[in-house]
Structures are given as C-alpha cells and as structure tokens.
C-alpha cells in the first residue's frame, strides 16, 4: 500500500480530519489527540495493511506504523490540514487527567524532537570516541565545527521545547521562542557566569544556567498560553495582535526568571538526584529493574516521564547512568524476536520476526513487540527476563550515557565516555540480554500459528462458496463519503434494528439503482425507497434523517412501486443544500432489510465512493452454500 493511500485510510478511520485535534509522531507512532475517541475505528485500523498496532495511552490515540512513520506523517500533511497550525481545531471531548495527562503532555512535547535528538546524539558520541582515541583534538577547528552541529540542539533545547509546548497548548510559538531566548540571552548568561547580584525592581533574581534545561521553559509556555487566551479575549481586535505579545513578554520573562526557572531547575535536579541515588545504592538491582521494565513502560507510554530526566542528567552532570540499563531491554526483545524466527515453522511469522529483529537492533522495537513477542506472550516474558539480566550487568558496570538518543546499534557511541569506562559492560550486557532472551524463547516455546492451522485442517473440512446467485453485490446508489452506520444520528438505523448496511454523506443529490431489480416501496414523501434484487436482496435507501417531515419538498421521484429497474437507473433526485438549510441531516443509510437471510453483509469501501462502485457484498443466501 502506498504511503498516501495508507494516510487516507488512517485519517478516515480515526474519525476524519475534523475529529483530529493534533498530530505528532515519534520513531514509529502517529500520536493523535482526537476530539472524540469513540469515532475512531480501532478494529479496522488494526486490520489495515501497513499498521502494526493501535494503542490508546495518556490521552493519545497512537497508530504504530514502524520506520515509515515520517513518510506517512508527511502524506497526512499533504492530503489534509491536520498539520496546519493556523487551522481552527476543536478541543477533544475529554482530556486525559492525572498520570495519563502528564504523559500526554510530555510525549506531545518531546516526540517531534526525537529524530534530530538521536542524530545529534550519535554525532556527539562519535566525536567523544574520536577525541578519546586521538583521531581528533578538541582544539582543532574541525572538531569545534562538528561539535557545534552535535551540541547546538542541546544548548538551545529551551527554544525547541518552546515551539513544541506552544503547539501542544495552542499558544503563540514566536512569543514562546522569544521567552526561551531571553533565558539564554548573552547578557543574562554573563550575569550568571560573573555572579553579579541581580534584581527585578528590587526583587532578587536567582539566576540559573538554562541551556539544555527542560522544565523551566515548559512551565513558562504553559502559563503563557493561558494568559494569551485571556488577553485575546479581553483586548479589542484592533490592538490585541501586538498588545498581547507585549504583555506576555513583560510578564513572562521576569516571572520565568523569578519563579519558573529556579523551581524547574530545582525539581529537575531533585528527580535526577533521586534516580542517581537509586543506582548508587544498588546499581545491580536498579539496572535489573530498569532492564526488565523499560519495554513495559514503553507499551503503556509511561517511559515518556523518564525522558526529561535523561536529558536533565546529561545537562546537569554531563552524563546519565539510568538510560544505559534501558538499552538491555531493547536488545532483549530483539533477541526474543530472533528466537521466534528460529523456532517458528510459519513462513509469514518467520519473515515478520526476521524483519522485526533487524529494525529492533536499531532501536525500533514496536514491530517486534506488537507484531511478534507480545501476541505470542512467552517470547515477551523471555525478553523481560533477558532485559533484567543484561540491565543488572550494565548497572553494575557503571555505564553512562554522555548524550541523548534512542538506544540501538547506531547510538552505542553515546555510551563511550572518557577512557571508555563502563562501555565494555554495556556491550557485555546487551549481548547477554540478546542471547538469554533468544535461548529462553526457543526453550520455552510458544503456540506456533502453524500448529493451529494444521489442527484446523485435520479437524475441519473447509466450505467452498459457489459463485451462485446467493452472493449479491450491491453497487453504490449515491456518490459521497462513507459513514459507519453506527454514526447515523437516528437509533432506528444506528442500532442495526432495521438491518445491516452502511451510510453515505452525499456529494451529489442523485440516487440510482444498486442492482437489477424491482421497486417495492416508493414513499409518498419521496425521501426513501426500497428495491429488491432478482436474487432476493432487499435494500432500503433513506435520504437524510427525519426528512419525512419535509413532506416531499426538495425531492423529485422518478419511480413508482412495481417498476423494473436496471443497475444505474435514476430513481430519485434531491437538493442537498436546501435540505441542510431546512435543518436536516443528509447522511443516507443504505440498509439490507433482510440481513437475516445472509451469513455476512460486508462493506467493500471506505472514504470516498462514486456512483456504481461496489459498496456491499451479501454472502451466503439461504440454501446456497455447498460442502
């Protein structure tokens, strides 16, 4: 499936463009915030080719598509206005609260930066290796230029976080960036470096080093976005475009330096110190817990709460001893997927496990977890055990991370510090976690899908469906957009009480015959009709909801009861604009009123549908299936 087609499928199945409040992506997932999660068809998304899994965590509706996520994200931007920051978007019907709300905020803020953060982290790690082994001297201009490329993201991190936080809270990105810029402005940095006593109208200012910090600017922009909405509401249209930014800058820059900055730095340092203390108390135990639990945290989205801690540790201490143990968990699930590939006899699963192993080696574990280890259960447990063993080794070795980046083969250089201390322990830990997980998966085994297929073949004689007249194809009688029957604002149709089927939001006011047959009902109010096919399928087409109250206005009928019709014959015309102007929905249910006579009523299309396109297939009319 092409990326554009997949993008269209995803947008349609999350409830359409109007149901999307915001969208960001991380390494493998599209992270939607939806107005109404109930409008998303999770079951269909999970069955769509190209989608690995669908998860709902932390107030986000997450669609896992793997390594191609940037291309799919870009395609969504091309076919819709979802990525347009200037577009007016409705708020979600309900927001995540508590821990879920915190995770939603953190993931929305950091997810857009993960790609460039990983690239910069790799470059920084390679420079560390080059300088440690003597390939480049830190005094060389070549090193300085490359180091600027690697370190600029982290130095100016408050500016980037200002953008993503403003997007999350619908604030002015340029004002947010200006506030962030003030925190790292040269004269402010100089005041801090020189220890100059600083006050703001007599109020003492405790200056901090805000380069690479996380919490201060996030807190500042959240408050800024609230104030911005207030000022825009109370100020006159003629002045708010420049007076609101003025008020925000005058209020927020001093307030951040006085309150949010020191508070954020102290909180971040306290959390970092707590985790460092845990590893100091028992690095073996702490490493084992981190190695065992990291992928569990990823599944529930809770890992986002630790990412700011990793970044803060590097910023404050120049290194982080928590993240390396999480690397064991990555390679453990990789080993489990590899064990599945070795053991399974199912060709499709073997191919999936092999490709998932390869991507997981580079830090992208979602295909391995959601496609292989988690569904089979035992391999995932084997990965947790392997991660604990490898994490214990890494923790005991005292391995440190010296830059940010998702753990994987390419980012191993970020763990190579001065003298390479702890790096051999990392290599040993990830190798052990891989081997232990692969071996346990092979030994413990799992319910191989091949065994189920063979058992099914032995005990069940497959039925063979004939191409008899029982299988009725229904062509689309209307041109427009497919709507799930459950979304029709009339319980008589949405409940399925009238029968199975589908609905269409019409783009053209014409109804044509869906097959060769006979008109059985032509309502006097002209808003609906029923037609039966030559094989006995009964179809009701009901234009709009409650349109019977229009008493035939805006409708033109071209049929009478008893008329013979052929597929494509014009049956009815109606004025879409006039019906809507009268206050009625035009969404049109197309119901198989004798659904009970068929084994299945299967929709054949989503999104846009043209006249006479195959719309439904009715399978297995009574007495028409042979053994």
């Amino acid at each position: 499936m092409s990326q554009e087609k997949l993008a269209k499928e995803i947008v349609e199945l999350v409830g359409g463009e109007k149901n999307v409040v915001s969208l960001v992506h991380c390494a493998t997932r599209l992270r939607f915030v939806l107005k109404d999660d109930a409008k998303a068809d999770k079951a269909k998304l999970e069955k769509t080719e190209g989608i690995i899994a669908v998860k709902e965590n932390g107030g986000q509706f997450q669609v896992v598509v793997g390594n191609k996520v940037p291309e799919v994200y870009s395609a969504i931007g091309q076919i819709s206005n979802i990525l347009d920051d200037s577009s007016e978007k409705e708020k979600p019907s309900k927001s995540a609260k508590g821990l879920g709300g915190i995770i939603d905020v953190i993931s929305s803020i950091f997810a857009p930066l993960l790609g460039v953060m990983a690239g910069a982290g790799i470059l920084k790690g390679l420079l560390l290796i080059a300088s440690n082994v003597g390939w480049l001297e830190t005094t060389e201009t070549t090193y300085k230029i490359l180091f600027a490329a690697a370190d600029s993201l982290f130095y100016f991190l408050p500016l980037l976080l200002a953008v993503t936080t403003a997007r999350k809270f619908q604030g002015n990105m340029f004002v947010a960036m200006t506030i962030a810029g003030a925190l790292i402005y040269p004269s402010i940095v100089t005041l801090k470096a020189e220890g100059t006593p600083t006050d703001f109208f007599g109020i003492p200012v405790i200056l901090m080093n805000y380069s690479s910090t996380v919490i201060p600017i996030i807190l500042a922009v959240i408050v800024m976005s609230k104030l911005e909405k207030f000022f825009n509401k109370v100020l006159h249209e003629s002045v708010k475009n420049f007076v609101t930014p003025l008020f925000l800058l005058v209020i927020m820059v001093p307030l951040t330096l006085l309150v949010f900055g020191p508070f954020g730095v102290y909180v971040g340092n306290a959390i970092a110190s707590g985790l460092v203390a845990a590893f100091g108390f028992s690095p073996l135990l702490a490493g084992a817990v981190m190695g065992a639990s990291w992928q569990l945290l990823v599944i529930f989205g809770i890992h986002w709460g630790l990412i700011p801690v990793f970044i803060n540790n590097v910023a404050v201490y120049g290194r982080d001893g928590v993240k390396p143990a999480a690397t064991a968990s990555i390679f453990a699930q990789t080993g489990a997927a590899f064990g599945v590939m070795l053991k399974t006899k199912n060709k499709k699963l073997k191919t999936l496990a092999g490709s998932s192993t390869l991507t997981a080696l580079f830090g992208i574990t979602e295909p391995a977890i959601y496609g292989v280890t988690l569904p089979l259960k035992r391999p995932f447990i084997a990965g947790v055990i392997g991660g604990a063993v490898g994490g214990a080794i890494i923790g005991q070795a005292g391995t440190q991370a010296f830059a940010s980046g998702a753990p994987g083969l390419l980012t191993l250089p970020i763990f190579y510090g001065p003298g390479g201390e702890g790096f051999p322990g990392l290599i040993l830990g990830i190798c052990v976690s891989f081997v232990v997980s692969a071996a346990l998966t092979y030994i413990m085994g799992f319910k191989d899908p091949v065994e189920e297929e063979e058992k099914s073949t032995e005990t069940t004689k497959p039925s063979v469906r004939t191409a008899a007249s029982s299988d009725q194809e229904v062509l689309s009688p209307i041109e427009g957009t497919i709507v799930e029957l459950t979304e029709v604002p009339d319980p008589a149709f949405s409940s399925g009480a009238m029968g199975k089927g589908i609905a269409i939001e019409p783009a053209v006011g014409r109804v044509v015959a869906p097959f060769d047959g006979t008109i059985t009902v032509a309502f006097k109010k002209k808003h609906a009709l029923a037609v039966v096919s030559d094989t006995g399928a009964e179809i009701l087409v009901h234009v709009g909801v409650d349109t019977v109250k229009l008493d035939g206005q805006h409708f033109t009928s071209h049929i009478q009861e008893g008329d013979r019709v052929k597929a494509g014959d014009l049956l009815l015309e109606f004025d879409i604009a006039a019906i809507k102007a009268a206050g009625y929905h035009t969404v049109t249910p197309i119901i198989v009123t004798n659904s009970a006579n068929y084994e299945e009523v299967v929709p054949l299309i989503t999104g846009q549908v043209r006249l006479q396109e195959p719309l439904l297939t009715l399978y297995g009319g009574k007495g028409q299936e042979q053994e």
Side-chain angles (χ1 to χ4, degrees):
M1 183 183 294
S2 68
Q3 311 304 355
E4 183 177 341
K5 186 175 180 181
L6 179 57
K8 289 180 180 178
E9 291 276 353
I10 291 172
V11 172
E12 183 67 30
L13 292 175
V14 297
E17 182 176 340
K18 292 182 179 179
N19 195 41
V20 179
V21 177
S22 64
L23 170 63
V24 296
H25 76 83
C26 56
T28 59
R29 308 183 188 197
L30 296 167
R31 296 175 176 270
F32 290 92
V33 175
L34 302 180
K35 180 177 180 292
D36 185 357
D37 288 352
K39 290 184 178 180
D41 194 331
K42 184 176 179 181
K44 281 193 175 180
L45 276 166
E46 289 177 327
K47 294 178 181 178
T48 300
E49 180 186 350
I51 293 177
I52 298 168
V54 179
K55 301 291 175 183
E56 294 181 72
N57 288 323
Q60 293 183 337
F61 192 88
Q62 303 173 11
V63 182
V64 184
V65 296
N67 294 334
K68 60 192 174 194
V69 67
E71 291 80 7
V72 178
Y73 178 82
S74 177
I76 290 175
Q78 293 173 5
I79 66 168
S80 71
N81 294 316
I82 289 174
L83 306 185
D84 184 0
D85 289 316
S86 64
S87 61
E88 293 294 327
K89 297 178 181 177
E90 299 181 73
K91 294 182 180 180
S93 56
K94 58 180 181 179
S95 300
K97 297 180 180 180
L99 180 60
I102 295 172
I103 292 169
D104 171 38
V105 169
I106 295 174
S107 61
S108 297
I109 291 172
F110 283 94
L113 303 178
L114 291 185
V116 64
M117 195 173 285
I122 293 170
L123 179 56
K124 204 168 186 180
L126 291 173
L127 287 172
L128 284 171
I129 294 174
S131 62
N132 285 335
V133 300
W135 295 340
L136 277 176
E137 294 294 333
T138 57
T139 55
E140 293 182 49
T141 54
T142 299
Y143 178 91
K144 292 180 182 294
I145 291 171
L146 290 175
F147 189 81
D151 194 53
S152 62
L153 177 142
F154 304 101
Y155 184 88
F156 295 106
L157 187 61
L159 286 167
L160 300 176
L161 292 176
V163 173
T164 55
T165 307
R167 285 191 63 179
K168 172 62 180 175
F169 289 92
Q170 299 178 334
N172 187 311
M173 289 188 291
F174 301 104
V175 175
M177 290 178 67
T178 304
I179 294 170
L183 299 181
I184 54 177
Y185 193 72
S187 62
I188 300 296
V189 174
T190 300
L191 288 175
K192 163 64 177 172
E194 294 177 350
T196 304
T198 306
D199 68 85
F200 182 73
F201 288 115
I203 303 173
V205 176
I206 302 174
L207 291 176
M208 300 283 182
N209 181 8
Y210 293 109
S211 294
S212 304
T213 56
V214 172
I215 299 178
I217 190 59
I218 292 176
L219 292 175
V221 175
I222 290 173
V223 174
M224 180 215 80
S225 67
K226 305 297 182 183
L227 283 176
E228 181 183 357
K229 291 177 176 62
F230 170 76
F231 287 132
N232 283 338
K233 185 177 181 181
V234 300
L235 292 174
H236 192 271
E237 290 283 341
S238 61
V239 299
K240 70 178 183 180
N241 285 341
F242 53 88
V243 174
T244 293
L246 169 64
F247 285 171
L248 293 177
L249 292 174
V250 170
I251 294 171
M252 290 308 306
V253 171
L255 190 61
T256 302
L257 290 171
L258 286 166
V259 180
F260 301 132
F263 175 78
V265 170
Y266 288 141
V267 169
N269 290 350
I271 296 173
S273 297
L275 286 172
V276 170
F279 272 80
F281 174 74
S282 176
L284 187 144
L285 179 60
V289 171
M290 180 61 71
S293 63
W294 180 252
Q295 288 301 328
L296 290 168
L297 299 180
V298 170
I299 289 173
F300 293 104
I302 302 174
H303 69 299
W304 285 103
L306 291 174
I307 288 176
V309 177
F310 297 160
I311 296 172
N312 190 81
N313 281 346
V314 174
V316 174
Y317 303 109
R319 61 183 64 197
D320 170 57
V322 182
K323 185 176 186 175
T327 308
S329 184
I330 302 291
F331 284 88
Q333 290 299 326
T334 307
F338 183 70
V340 171
M341 184 191 74
L342 293 179
K343 191 172 184 68
T344 183
K345 296 178 181 178
N346 184 307
K347 292 182 179 179
K348 184 176 180 181
L349 179 57
K350 187 179 287 290
T351 300
L352 176 60
S355 61
S356 298
T357 299
L358 183 61
T359 57
L361 284 171
F362 294 96
I364 309 300
T365 56
E366 277 86 350
I369 293 173
Y370 296 124
V372 181
T373 64
L374 196 57
L376 295 174
K377 297 182 179 64
R378 288 182 185 175
F380 184 80
I381 295 171
V384 170
I385 296 171
V389 176
I393 294 171
I394 293 171
Q396 189 62 39
T399 308
Q400 303 287 310
F402 297 88
S404 297
L409 282 181
L410 289 179
T411 54
L412 291 182
I414 70 175
F415 303 103
Y416 190 95
E421 183 180 351
F423 191 71
L426 175 81
I427 300 303
L428 177 61
I430 62 177
C431 290
V432 168
S433 63
F434 182 94
V435 172
V436 168
S437 299
L440 283 177
T441 297
Y442 198 90
I443 294 168
M444 293 165 57
F446 48 86
K447 197 171 184 180
D448 199 330
V450 169
E451 296 169 5
E452 291 183 357
E453 291 174 8
E454 290 174 349
K455 184 177 179 181
S456 174
T457 302
E458 292 170 0
T459 59
T460 306
K461 184 171 67 173
S463 62
V464 179
R465 192 182 300 281
T466 66
S469 59
S470 62
D471 293 354
Q472 174 70 58
E473 184 177 66
V474 179
L475 305 178
S476 181
I478 293 177
E479 180 176 336
T481 304
I482 296 294
V483 177
E484 290 292 330
L485 200 59
T486 54
E487 296 182 18
V488 175
D490 186 333
F493 297 112
S494 61
S495 66
M498 296 286 292
K500 298 178 181 179
I502 202 161
I504 298 176
E505 181 63 52
V508 180
R510 291 164 55 89
V511 178
V512 302
F515 40 53
D516 295 347
T518 304
I519 301 298
T520 55
V521 179
F523 288 86
K524 292 181 180 180
K525 302 296 178 70
K526 306 175 186 178
H527 65 293
L529 58 90
V531 56
V532 61
S533 74
D534 293 339
T535 62
E538 300 172 4
I539 299 294
L540 170 68
V541 180
H542 192 290
V543 179
V545 176
D546 289 334
T547 47
V548 64
K549 297 177 182 178
L550 289 171
D551 201 25
Q553 293 184 61
H554 316 309
F555 291 94
T556 303
S557 177
H558 297 281
I559 48 152
Q560 293 182 345
E561 290 182 7
D563 284 353
R564 283 283 302 165
V565 295
K566 288 190 173 294
D569 285 351
L570 179 62
L571 309 181
L572 181 68
E573 291 181 292
F574 55 97
D575 189 330
I576 297 174
I579 294 171
K580 288 183 176 180
Y584 295 90
H585 291 283
T586 56
V587 62
T588 299
I590 298 158
I591 306 296
V592 183
T593 54
N594 63 337
S595 300
N597 290 351
Y598 294 89
E599 292 179 0
E600 292 182 278
V601 175
V602 180
L604 301 176
I605 192 169
T606 59
Q608 301 298 312
V609 61
R610 297 188 297 272
L611 283 175
Q612 296 292 282
E613 264 194 290
L615 182 68
L616 301 169
T617 296
L618 317 183
Y619 285 119
K622 286 185 176 180
Q624 297 298 323
E625 193 173 72
Q626 300 177 352
E627 291 295 324

